Amino acid sequence: MAFDQLSVVLAGLAIFIAVGYYGQSTVKSDVRIDSLPWVGLKTGVFAGLRTRIGSLGTGVLATLEAGYRKYSSSEIIFCVPRFDKSMVILPGSQVKWIVDQADSVLSAPQAQRDSLLTDYTLLDTAMARNPIQEIIVRRHLTRSLGSLIEDIEDELAVGVTHYWGKDTESWTEVPVFDTINKVVARASNRIFVGLPLCRNDDYLDNAGRFAGDVALSGTLLKLVPAMLQPFVAWIFVLPNRYHLYKASKYLIPFIKQRLLDLDQAHKTGTARPDLNDYTTWHIKEVELDPVERTPQKIANRIMTVNFAAIHTSTFTATNILFDLYASPLVDTYVKEIREEVAQALSESGGRWDKNTIAKLIKTDSAVRESLRISTFMSTGMDRVVVDPHGATMTNGLHLPQGTRLGTCTYSIHHDDGVYENAMTYDAFRFSRPREIAITAGKARMEGNGTETMQGSVKKEELAKLLESKNLATVTTSDTFLAFGHGRHACPGRFFAATEMKLLVAYIVMNYDVKALTIRPPNSFIAGSIIPPMKATISVRRRNM
């Protein structure tokens, strides 16, 4: 049986089990706080079951939006139903409270494990319960990013050219999601496993399919009651296991050779700067751990990193392209980004490095703005109360142990009280204040002094100037939650932001793209927001 057919069968099995079990349960029993209002509850026959099934559909975002407008704007906490476990929604003003709580009180890792059921879907409980890969990404990838920029740009260039072509005469219709998914997989694996494996189509196909398996199997398995999950999980993760097996046929020999190369280099005292990738960092990080240093364990970690990188970056890049090229101001945006990239490369002698990337202020803004308006999660800052004594908020509300909570990320990002014209994609929304700050800084350095700056800029704008340094894509806040916020913010966001800016820069400089009269709509399923997966754009290589 093909694995796409198996997924359909598993979906049917999950729904059958779920309907029988949840048909007898009440939604409100998920949240043991009687004082909180609810949105999205149905009434009548089988109200609980109909409510839970409704939480899997396309109306979830509308429910959250209604709750946000009615309650969050008045600083009222409310509840929304979920199929597996309902959720307490805190207003944006409480993001700081969430961030300030110790992990022993509110747990982000537990919320992630509950959301993806990673104990099963990642095929090894250590992947999420002992997330070594996150430590390596946070510590080594971020620190080494500057030295990897040329490699990332090279792989993006090779990938886009391969999938979009070199035709300078005719327009070519390309499926955005599918081609970008392959480009992202190649660029990410250039950093994970390096050349030539990062260009092996069979390996990349299985790595990408594994990433999709984790999300799908987790979603389906959540339909099954928790008490039954340990007994049936093995069925739901068969596709995951198959694609891990297929990818491991390439990863295991590669890792064994890397272990030999590093051991030999260590014995001879030979430096190997050519082996500067995730695999090397991981091997060195677990040098004294015989279990974690096995080839299969390292292969599992690499596939887990692939899941984290490919899925989210493909969603992000797809949204960026549709947001940019469907904007009524696309001609202006592309012209100014193109000029910015050309100027930055000219000043660096045509070389991509950390300083060149730092000059892409408008490009960075276009990426951040798409992450704002086209966030792919309706809720964020998800946490689970793990303290046996519960957690008490500053307003006195007590949240019992086991309570799932979060915020309306989508609604915060689309709130006119937070962002002016919040429903409009404004590519340079975040670069304008930064450009003003840079101009003001140059004026001071030229001897014009603070008084001149204050005379040319209104006092109410001075605060914005001081905050401008916090408007880069990688900077999180209580109103920009695309990467989360606080100590549990996405550790890979620095790599992801660099990858996205380089991708936009390469496409704008090397391709003409026909403007879209209307942006293909995203799909809203349960709590996820899916970019248009079948939509296409017309591209033509620029004749330079």
Side-chain angles (χ1 to χ4, degrees):
M1 180 184 294
F3 280 104
D4 55 349
Q5 295 173 316
L6 178 60
S7 296
V8 174
V9 173
L10 293 176
L13 175 62
I15 292 172
F16 177 78
I17 295 173
V19 166
Y21 180 82
Y22 288 112
Q24 305 301 317
S25 65
T26 60
V27 175
K28 285 191 174 183
S29 63
D30 292 344
V31 179
R32 304 188 306 277
I33 310 173
D34 295 335
S35 61
L36 297 181
W38 285 75
V39 295
L41 293 179
K42 298 184 182 300
T43 58
V45 179
F46 294 115
L49 178 60
R50 288 167 45 234
T51 297
R52 291 187 188 278
I53 292 175
S55 71
L56 299 173
T58 59
V60 173
L61 188 64
T63 298
L64 284 165
E65 278 278 83
Y68 180 84
R69 305 300 171 189
K70 182 176 181 179
Y71 295 115
S72 292
S73 58
S74 301
E75 296 296 311
I76 297 174
I77 298 169
F78 66 97
C79 302
V80 292
R82 286 284 188 267
F83 196 94
D84 57 330
K85 186 175 180 62
S86 298
M87 190 172 187
V88 175
I89 301 296
L90 275 56
S93 60
Q94 295 299 320
V95 169
K96 185 179 185 304
W97 178 81
I98 295 175
V99 169
D100 288 344
Q101 301 310 298
D103 291 346
S104 59
V105 179
L106 300 184
S107 175
Q110 183 63 54
Q112 185 181 54
R113 291 196 295 271
D114 290 349
S115 176
L116 294 170
L117 294 178
T118 52
D119 283 351
Y120 307 114
T121 59
L122 293 178
L123 308 177
D124 185 336
T125 57
M127 296 299 109
R129 293 184 179 273
N130 181 25
I132 297 170
Q133 65 278 356
E134 290 185 15
I135 296 171
I136 294 168
V137 168
R138 191 185 305 275
R139 184 182 300 164
H140 297 283
L141 176 54
T142 301
R143 186 173 60 198
S144 302
L145 196 54
S147 64
L148 298 169
I149 287 174
E150 286 189 303
D151 288 342
I152 299 169
E153 197 279 334
D154 176 65
E155 203 57 46
L156 288 170
V158 171
V160 173
T161 301
H162 179 76
Y163 296 111
W164 284 19
K166 299 181 180 179
D167 193 337
T168 60
E169 301 296 329
S170 304
W171 291 95
T172 302
E173 201 81 7
V174 297
V176 178
F177 185 89
D178 287 345
T179 55
I180 291 300
N181 183 63
K182 293 172 182 176
V183 171
V184 165
R186 289 173 68 140
S188 299
N189 277 277
R190 178 72 175 262
I191 305 307
F192 300 158
V193 298
L195 289 166
L197 188 52
C198 71
R199 295 181 185 175
N200 182 304
D201 288 337
D202 192 40
Y203 162 68
L204 292 175
D205 180 64
N206 282 286
R209 288 178 182 274
F210 177 84
D213 293 339
V214 173
L216 179 58
S217 61
T219 299
L220 295 178
L221 193 53
K222 281 200 298 184
L223 302 181
V224 176
M227 68 178 67
L228 299 180
Q229 288 171 1
F231 304 102
V232 300
W234 67 272
I235 303 175
F236 287 80
V237 300
L238 283 174
N240 314 39
R241 198 170 298 282
Y242 175 76
H243 292 121
L244 172 62
Y245 163 75
K246 294 282 284 185
S248 293
K249 290 200 300 182
Y250 300 99
L251 285 173
I252 297 297
F254 162 75
I255 293 167
K256 287 181 177 178
Q257 185 60 51
R258 180 61 60 86
L259 286 165
L260 289 174
D261 291 342
L262 291 174
D263 286 343
Q264 183 64 25
H266 178 72
K267 290 175 182 177
T268 61
T270 305
R272 293 295 303 268
D274 57 313
L275 304 181
N276 183 34
D277 57 28
Y278 173 89
T279 305
T280 292
W281 307 328
H282 192 109
I283 290 171
K284 291 182 177 179
E285 184 73 25
V286 299
E287 187 173 12
L288 302 179
D289 188 332
V291 174
E292 284 290 344
R293 209 169 187 262
T294 60
Q296 186 59 62
K297 184 73 78 169
I298 297 172
N300 285 25
R301 297 284 185 185
I302 291 173
M303 292 293 278
T304 299
V305 173
N306 265 296
F307 160 68
I310 295 176
H311 218 60
T312 54
S313 291
T314 299
F315 277 29
T316 299
T318 300
N319 280 324
I320 290 170
L321 294 177
F322 283 127
D323 287 335
L324 178 62
Y325 287 101
S327 170
L329 298 176
V330 59
D331 290 341
T332 299
Y333 292 154
V334 169
K335 176 178 179 292
E336 294 193 28
I337 291 174
R338 192 172 283 163
E339 290 173 351
E340 177 182 72
V341 174
Q343 179 66 26
L345 285 172
S346 174
E347 293 175 0
S348 68
R351 181 174 180 269
W352 282 107
D353 58 22
K354 200 170 182 178
N355 291 330
T356 312
I357 292 287
K359 294 174 183 177
L360 303 186
I361 295 174
K362 291 180 179 178
T363 311
D364 183 273
S365 178
V367 171
R368 182 180 173 96
E369 173 69 347
S370 183
L371 282 164
R372 179 194 70 82
I373 200 168
S374 298
T375 175
F376 44 83
M377 292 301 295
S378 55
T379 61
M381 300 300 293
D382 288 18
R383 300 289 190 272
V384 173
V385 179
V386 293
D387 191 320
H389 302 292
T392 301
M393 301 183 61
T394 53
N395 62 2
L397 179 68
H398 183 73
L399 305 173
Q401 182 184 24
T403 302
R404 180 184 175 190
L405 60 92
T407 60
C408 284
T409 295
Y410 179 92
S411 300
I412 292 171
H413 283 192
H414 293 78
D415 188 339
D416 284 327
V418 178
Y419 294 99
E420 185 178 357
N421 297 322
M423 299 302 293
T424 300
Y425 174 78
D426 178 359
F428 301 152
R429 179 188 300 273
F430 299 106
S431 60
R432 283 190 289 270
R434 297 177 71 185
E435 291 177 284
I436 294 172
I438 290 171
T439 301
K442 288 180 178 179
R444 289 198 303 274
M445 292 186 68
E446 292 170 1
N448 293 332
T450 304
E451 291 181 3
T452 301
M453 184 187 75
Q454 290 180 338
S456 61
V457 181
K458 294 180 181 179
K459 287 184 177 180
E460 57 267 25
E461 292 178 342
L462 289 178
K464 293 182 179 180
L465 297 183
L466 296 174
E467 294 174 0
S468 65
K469 66 180 184 298
N470 295 322
L471 297 179
T473 294
V474 296
T475 306
T476 65
S477 72
D478 55 0
T479 57
F480 182 75
L481 301 166
F483 293 113
H485 186 40
R487 63 187 176 280
H488 290 294
C490 173
R493 67 188 185 278
F494 299 94
F495 168 64
T498 297
E499 184 181 36
M500 293 301 103
K501 284 183 280 188
L502 286 170
L503 178 63
V504 171
Y506 184 80
I507 289 174
V508 165
M509 295 301 290
N510 291 278
Y511 287 88
D512 288 322
V513 178
K514 280 187 180 180
L516 300 166
T517 55
I518 187 170
R519 188 200 192 282
N522 289 353
S523 301
F524 305 99
I525 303 174
S528 299
I529 305 172
I530 312 298
M533 301 180 74
K534 300 298 181 183
T536 61
I537 55 175
S538 294
V539 304
R540 182 176 62 193
R541 186 82 173 191
R542 294 183 72 207
N543 197 354
M544 297 164 55

